[in-house]
Amino acid sequence: MKVTSIEEYHPDFITTTCYEWKPILTEDRYKDIITDSLLFLANQNRIKVHAFVIMSNHFHLIWQIQKGNKREDVQRDFLKFTAYQLLKKLKEENTVLLEELLVNLKDRKHQVWQRNSLSIELRSEHVYQQKLEYIHNNPVKAGLCLLPEEYKYSSAKFYELNENDWIFLTHGDV
């Protein structure tokens, strides 16, 4: 097996959708699993998070995998861990939602995330800014707020008001 050196990655735009677009992330305690996991990965120097928004049935990120880490490993670990934590909480709370995630496949009983999350490497400043605006305007388009910076589970406040409620956030560039 050939081992290649891991270079500095460009930022990635990631979209992860809940299984069958189920509103798994409606409540803050479920969104907190995502933000806590991002904080953990940032503290482990595996990622830098440039932007994010967490909606009820999907989330978007702009993150940058840090040198010494493989993109596919970090993304796999993040999605696997967050799925495990979400299922654990849903089992503890005995929610109907848990039944809706039942798939009974050979390798898993439940499924939290749709397979094959969208991941786009951001190589130009123009595309980076386009994705940043898309992320921040997602809650506005969904009718959850009037201004992007009003939505709690987003990095818009960080960019618009220079207020960092999420210590894992860092300004990025391409």
Side-chain angles (χ1 to χ4, degrees), residues 118-133:
L118 173 69
S119 181
I120 300 170
E121 192 173 22
L122 304 177
R123 293 181 169 262
S124 76
E125 187 62 34
H126 173 74
V127 176
Y128 184 95
Q129 290 301 321
Q130 183 183 50
K131 297 303 182 191
L132 187 66
E133 283 183 37

Side-chain angles (χ1 to χ4, degrees), residues 54-70:
I54 304 171
M55 306 295 285
S56 65
N57 58 10
H58 70 284
F59 63 87
H60 302 288
L61 297 169
I62 295 176
W63 69 4
Q64 188 169 12
I65 307 302
Q66 295 302 286
K67 201 170 192 173
N69 296 282
K70 289 185 179 178

Side-chain angles (χ1 to χ4, degrees), residues 2-46:
K2 183 180 176 185
V3 177
T4 57
S5 64
I6 300 169
E7 300 299 323
E8 187 81 20
Y9 289 105
H10 288 278
D12 291 308
F13 171 77
I14 307 279
T15 297
T16 299
T17 306
C18 297
Y19 180 65
E20 295 183 343
W21 288 88
K22 305 257 186 233
I24 300 168
L25 304 171
T26 301
E27 298 184 37
D28 288 359
R29 67 180 177 273
Y30 301 134
K31 289 180 183 93
D32 289 340
I33 290 171
I34 307 299
T35 58
D36 290 348
S37 298
L38 291 172
L39 176 61
F40 176 81
L41 289 172
N43 285 340
Q44 295 293 309
N45 202 32
R46 294 182 76 189

Side-chain angles (χ1 to χ4, degrees), residues 34-171:
I34 307 299
T35 58
D36 290 348
S37 298
L38 291 172
L39 176 61
F40 176 81
L41 289 172
N43 285 340
Q44 295 293 309
N45 202 32
R46 294 182 76 189
I47 61 170
K48 285 187 179 175
V49 180
H50 300 282
F52 78 99
V53 66
I54 304 171
M55 306 295 285
S56 65
N57 58 10
H58 70 284
F59 63 87
H60 302 288
L61 297 169
I62 295 176
W63 69 4
Q64 188 169 12
I65 307 302
Q66 295 302 286
K67 201 170 192 173
N69 296 282
K70 289 185 179 178
R71 174 183 284 127
E72 54 275 2
D73 291 350
V74 173
Q75 189 166 333
R76 179 202 63 227
D77 293 350
F78 172 69
L79 293 176
K80 187 175 180 180
F81 180 77
T82 53
Y84 175 81
Q85 292 299 316
L86 285 163
L87 287 172
K88 181 179 168 187
K89 191 162 281 297
L90 290 170
K91 286 174 186 173
E92 288 169 2
E93 297 171 0
N94 201 17
T95 66
V96 174
L97 191 52
L98 186 63
E99 288 179 35
E100 293 182 38
L101 301 175
L102 190 64
V103 291
N104 281 325
L105 298 174
K106 287 182 181 180
D107 62 340
R108 65 193 168 283
K109 187 175 180 179
H110 296 90
Q111 186 165 331
V112 172
W113 308 123
Q114 266 319 104
R115 294 287 191 184
N116 303 320
S117 297
L118 173 69
S119 181
I120 300 170
E121 192 173 22
L122 304 177
R123 293 181 169 262
S124 76
E125 187 62 34
H126 173 74
V127 176
Y128 184 95
Q129 290 301 321
Q130 183 183 50
K131 297 303 182 191
L132 187 66
E133 283 183 37
Y134 179 81
I135 286 172
H136 292 158
N137 285 314
N138 214 255
V140 175
K141 287 183 180 176
L144 300 174
C145 57
L146 294 175
L147 298 171
E149 59 270 21
E150 294 173 344
Y151 188 70
K152 179 180 177 181
Y153 285 90
S154 168
S155 54
K157 197 173 179 183
F158 178 61
Y159 284 89
E160 296 298 321
L161 304 176
N162 205 28
E163 293 179 21
N164 193 356
D165 294 337
W166 308 100
I167 59 175
F168 56 79
L169 278 175
T170 180
H171 284 286

